[in-house]
Amino acid sequence: MKRIIVLSISALLLFTTTVRAHVENISQATALIDAAMQKSLTIINDPSLTTEVKRKKLWPIVTTYFDFTLISELTLGKFSADSTRPLGDYSDRRFTDSQQEQFTDAFTIHLGNLYLDRLNNESKFSVSLTHSSAMKPIRKMQRARVNSLINNKTAIDYSLRLKNNEWRIYDIKVEGRSLINSFRKEYSALLLKKTPDELLTLLNEKNLAHTENNAE
C-alpha cells in the first residue's frame, strides 16, 4: 500500500510539473506575439515615417518572429524534400534540398512583398490578444495558438511552434483562412504543370518585377 501511495504521489508531482511547464510555455508564446505586435504597431502607426521606411523597419521584425523554413516546407506539402508521401506520375516534382532552400529564400521575399505592400502612410492599427491555447504537438514540437483582433473587428490567429526553446510563428489565419493552406493549394496545382525549377523561376520573376516597379 505504501508503495502505491508513493507512486501515486510521484505521478501527481510529475503531472503537476508538466502542466506548469506547459502553461508557462503557452504564456511565452503569448508574450512573443505581444512583443512582436507592440514593436510593429510602434512603426506602423508612426505618422512621421514614410511607407518605405516602415517597410525597412518592419522586415527585421518579421524575419525574427517567423519560421520561414517551416512555412515553406508546409507550403510545399507532399512536394517538399523531406516528404515521404507518394507522388505517382509526378515524382519528378519533388524538391531537392537545394531547390527547397532556394524556394524558402524566394517565398520569404514574396510573402514580405505581399503583406508589406498593404502599408501606406495612413495605415493605423490596434491589436488586442483575446485567447491563447495549446495545439496538438507535431514532430515532437509543442505548438500554441494565439488569437487576436485587429481594429476590434478582424480575427487573426497565430500558430506557433516551440523548437530549441524558441517560439516562432509558422502560420497565420485571417478570419479562419490559413496562409499555408492557401499557398499550398495554389502551388500544388502549379506543380502538376510545372517543375520545381519552373516554379522557382516564376517566383524569382515576380520578386524581380516587384523590385523594379518599386524602383521607378
Side-chain angles (χ1 to χ4, degrees):
M1 176 61 72
K2 184 182 294 186
R3 177 179 171 81
I4 294 175
I5 293 175
V6 171
L7 289 174
S8 297
I9 293 174
S10 298
L12 179 60
L13 289 174
L14 178 60
F15 175 76
T16 303
T17 302
T18 302
V19 170
R20 186 184 299 117
H22 193 62
V23 171
E24 289 175 355
N25 281 337
I26 300 302
S27 297
Q28 291 171 5
T30 306
L32 180 136
I33 294 295
D34 185 51
M37 291 300 98
Q38 295 308 316
K39 290 179 181 179
S40 299
L41 290 176
T42 298
I43 297 169
I44 293 171
N45 293 335
D46 188 340
S48 68
L49 301 179
T50 65
T51 301
E52 186 57 32
V53 171
K54 289 179 181 180
R55 287 176 61 97
K56 290 181 178 178
K57 286 180 173 288
L58 284 169
W59 189 237
I61 297 175
V62 172
T63 55
T64 296
Y65 289 100
F66 282 79
D67 184 349
F68 285 107
T69 299
L70 183 57
I71 289 172
S72 298
E73 180 184 345
L74 295 176
T75 296
L76 290 176
K78 65 182 180 181
F79 297 99
S80 66
D82 292 333
S83 175
T84 58
R85 294 174 60 187
L87 294 177
D89 294 337
Y90 300 95
S91 58
D92 63 327
R93 309 300 162 87
R94 178 94 65 202
F95 278 63
T96 65
D97 289 335
S98 175
Q99 289 170 328
Q100 191 155 319
E101 287 180 10
Q102 295 175 60
F103 176 82
T104 299
D105 291 341
F107 189 52
T108 297
I109 294 171
H110 180 57
L111 285 178
N113 290 338
L114 284 177
Y115 290 95
L116 293 181
D117 278 352
R118 299 182 181 185
L119 290 175
N120 56 56
N121 292 342
E122 288 75 42
S123 296
K124 292 287 183 181
F125 293 100
S126 65
V127 178
S128 57
L129 304 185
T130 58
H131 184 66
S132 302
S133 58
M135 299 170 66
K136 182 179 179 181
I138 56 171
R139 305 178 190 178
K140 299 181 179 180
M141 290 189 296
Q142 187 176 329
R143 298 191 298 157
R145 176 173 291 129
V146 179
N147 309 109
S148 70
L149 276 178
I150 303 297
N151 294 340
N152 293 318
K153 60 180 180 180
T154 304
I156 297 186
D157 303 332
Y158 299 90
S159 296
L160 303 94
R161 60 85 181 135
L162 180 64
K163 185 178 180 182
N164 299 326
N165 295 318
E166 290 185 336
W167 284 103
R168 290 292 181 269
I169 302 165
Y170 71 87
D171 195 14
I172 295 178
K173 287 185 177 180
V174 179
E175 296 292 343
R177 186 179 181 186
S178 163
L179 176 149
I180 285 177
N181 287 345
S182 297
F183 278 105
R184 184 189 294 139
K185 289 179 181 178
E186 177 184 346
Y187 291 155
S188 290
L190 281 172
L191 286 166
L192 296 179
K193 304 174 183 177
K194 298 180 180 295
T195 65
D197 282 336
E198 289 172 333
L199 178 57
L200 287 171
T201 297
L202 180 64
L203 263 179
N204 287 326
E205 287 176 347
K206 285 184 177 181
N207 291 339
L208 179 60
H210 182 277
T211 300
E212 292 176 343
N213 289 337
N214 282 273
E216 294 177 354

